[in-house]
Amino acid sequence: MAKPSHREKILTEGLRVVHERGFAGASVRDIVQAAGVPQGSFTNHFASKEAFGLEILEIYHARGRAVAQATLLNDALPPLKRLEEWVDTVILRMVEHGMRKGCLIGNLTAETSEHSEPIRMRLVEMFSEATRAIAYCLRAAVQAGELPASLDCDEMAGFIFSSLQGANLMAKAQRSSVPLQRFRNILFTAVLR
Amino acid sequence: MAKPSHREKILTEGLRVVHERGFAGASVRDIVQAAGVPQGSFTNHFASKEAFGLEILEIYHARGRAVAQATLLNDALPPLKRLEEWVDTVILRMVEHGMRKGCLIGNLTAETSEHSEPIRMRLVEMFSEATRAIAYCLRAAVQAGELPASLDCDEMAGFIFSSLQGANLMAKAQRSSVPLQRFRNILFTAVLR
């Protein structure tokens, strides 16, 4: 197997460091130190910290997209079961980090969307893609008779996605999965009755 | 009226700058420049940037507490009406900033809770205080027969607060009040049926 290039190391370790410390909180020096590469290789590979930020965001988002494809968009499973598996997988990913990191997409929204228009616009597209996947799953649940035909699937999908982002944020502050479990319980017992 | 002291100017302008640019994104230099005071007066008045961060968080939180007292905790109004007024006031405050700033408490959770244990612990207390105020209002609604007696008011209060934080975050990314209006509509038509 080929050794990872400096560029790959910067992306892998840089994603980790930004996820832990925030985008402004992780300096280029922090990133190259974590990657174990010379400082100059950052500027060799990335036109700006913003360009680097957009690339790590794509890597993170691709993982989320893979989860959505295995769950929300997976026509082989009953629709509400898919939604449950999606929520459970998101919760599990937060638990794996001891709830300390939160969602990189949510973090960058809070911190960076006001500084970088390209990052903000990409974040909006990512929210939109996730919301569409949830709406697809909800429409399948309506068609399967698992949810009432009167449900506005697009509106509910937006509500579910933003509420999960909020639960992530609380879980990060409290370093506890309680807000995420609460979101799950109320979603399936009170919201989607 | 006495002229504001350097300390007051640093707090007032510093809160604004941190709310706009983030805690790591707003340097001490940015803060003193915005306040129009000499750089040295920051260190004269604050032991650290963290100590300053805790003080602006208290100022911001006091505004939120005043809103809760006028709405959620205001026994003169019918309970669900209070909850509606609280949600509407929070939305209005976001709209006033063109949805660009988000909630300072949510922003600091995303960005700073992993860097500063005193800030993280204070954020958790603030969430807890807000959630207790919502639960107080929900219990009054149950007693007034506006909500079913089976409602777990503490759990629902936590869900409402975290879901509103998530809607704030989406509104900030999209620079649109749509996620907040959606939260409001689904809360009162689907969640609290």
Side-chain angles (χ1 to χ4, degrees):
Chain A
M1 215 159 85
K3 276 170 66 181
S5 68
H6 283 183
R7 181 182 165 79
E8 285 165 335
K9 284 185 199 164
I10 292 169
L11 287 171
T12 306
E13 293 304 309
L15 168 56
R16 188 180 58 72
V17 170
V18 168
H19 202 175
E20 277 172 14
R21 302 187 202 169
F23 191 69
S27 66
V28 169
R29 175 184 288 222
D30 294 334
I31 294 163
V32 294
Q33 275 183 352
V37 302
Q39 176 117 15
S41 57
F42 189 93
T43 40
N44 288 344
H45 290 295
F46 302 97
S48 62
K49 198 176 170 199
E50 181 182 70
F52 159 80
L54 283 164
E55 290 210 36
I56 58 170
L57 200 49
E58 292 305 325
I59 295 169
Y60 187 82
H61 180 58
R63 297 179 196 163
R65 183 186 285 138
V67 172
Q69 269 158 355
T71 57
L72 296 170
L73 304 173
N74 178 0
D75 291 328
L77 296 173
L80 279 184
K81 182 76 192 154
R82 294 183 223 167
L83 184 62
E84 275 183 35
E85 292 204 356
W86 179 70
V87 171
D88 288 343
T89 309
V90 171
I91 293 177
L92 197 68
R93 284 175 64 189
M94 295 296 141
V95 172
E96 277 169 1
H97 300 137
M99 246 78 55
R100 295 171 84 106
K101 291 177 167 185
C103 169
L104 182 67
I105 294 177
N107 293 349
L108 286 183
T109 298
E111 188 202 348
T112 308
S113 61
E114 199 44 37
H115 302 292
S116 162
E117 192 61 9
I119 289 180
R120 183 183 79 79
M121 291 182 70
R122 196 65 192 101
L123 289 166
V124 169
E125 287 167 2
M126 288 172 181
F127 292 140
S128 169
E129 185 180 330
T131 302
R132 279 197 307 275
I134 299 170
Y136 175 88
C137 178
L138 293 176
R139 263 189 280 277
V142 168
Q143 282 178 356
E146 294 181 341
L147 289 174
S150 59
L151 184 73
D152 185 330
C153 295
D154 293 316
E155 283 296 285
M156 183 55 80
F159 177 83
I160 291 173
F161 188 74
S162 77
S163 298
L164 179 54
Q165 281 289 338
N168 262 335
L169 205 58
M170 298 299 98
K172 180 175 172 167
Q174 298 177 15
R175 295 205 186 133
S176 153
S177 66
V178 166
L180 289 161
Q181 298 297 342
R182 179 188 295 135
F183 163 78
R184 187 194 194 287
N185 293 341
I186 292 186
L187 175 63
F188 289 107
T189 60
V191 182
L192 296 177
R193 290 182 288 206
Chain B
M1 214 160 83
K3 275 171 64 181
S5 68
H6 282 185
R7 181 183 164 78
E8 285 165 336
K9 284 185 200 162
I10 292 169
L11 286 171
T12 307
E13 294 303 310
L15 168 55
R16 188 179 59 73
V17 169
V18 169
H19 202 175
E20 279 172 12
R21 303 186 201 169
F23 190 69
S27 66
V28 168
R29 173 184 288 223
D30 294 333
I31 294 164
V32 294
Q33 277 183 351
V37 302
Q39 175 119 13
S41 58
F42 189 93
T43 40
N44 288 344
H45 291 293
F46 303 96
S48 62
K49 197 175 169 197
E50 181 183 69
F52 159 79
L54 283 164
E55 290 210 37
I56 57 169
L57 201 49
E58 292 307 327
I59 295 170
Y60 187 82
H61 180 57
R63 298 180 195 162
R65 184 185 283 138
V67 173
Q69 268 157 358
T71 57
L72 296 171
L73 303 174
N74 179 359
D75 291 329
L77 295 174
L80 278 185
K81 182 78 191 150
R82 295 184 222 165
L83 184 62
E84 275 183 34
E85 291 204 357
W86 178 70
V87 170
D88 287 342
T89 309
V90 171
I91 293 177
L92 198 66
R93 285 174 64 188
M94 295 297 141
V95 171
E96 277 168 2
H97 300 138
M99 247 77 57
R100 294 171 85 106
K101 290 176 165 186
C103 169
L104 182 66
I105 296 177
N107 292 349
L108 285 183
T109 299
E111 190 201 347
T112 308
S113 61
E114 199 44 36
H115 301 291
S116 163
E117 192 62 8
I119 289 181
R120 183 183 79 80
M121 290 181 71
R122 194 66 191 102
L123 290 166
V124 169
E125 288 166 2
M126 289 173 181
F127 291 140
S128 169
E129 186 180 330
T131 303
R132 279 198 307 276
I134 300 170
Y136 174 87
C137 179
L138 293 176
R139 264 189 279 279
V142 168
Q143 282 178 358
E146 294 180 341
L147 288 175
S150 59
L151 185 72
D152 185 329
C153 295
D154 292 316
E155 283 295 284
M156 183 55 80
F159 178 82
I160 290 172
F161 187 74
S162 78
S163 298
L164 179 54
Q165 282 288 339
N168 262 334
L169 204 59
M170 296 300 98
K172 180 174 172 169
Q174 297 178 15
R175 294 206 186 130
S176 154
S177 66
V178 166
L180 289 161
Q181 299 298 343
R182 179 189 294 136
F183 163 79
R184 186 193 195 289
N185 292 343
I186 292 186
L187 175 63
F188 290 107
T189 60
V191 182
L192 296 177
R193 289 183 289 207

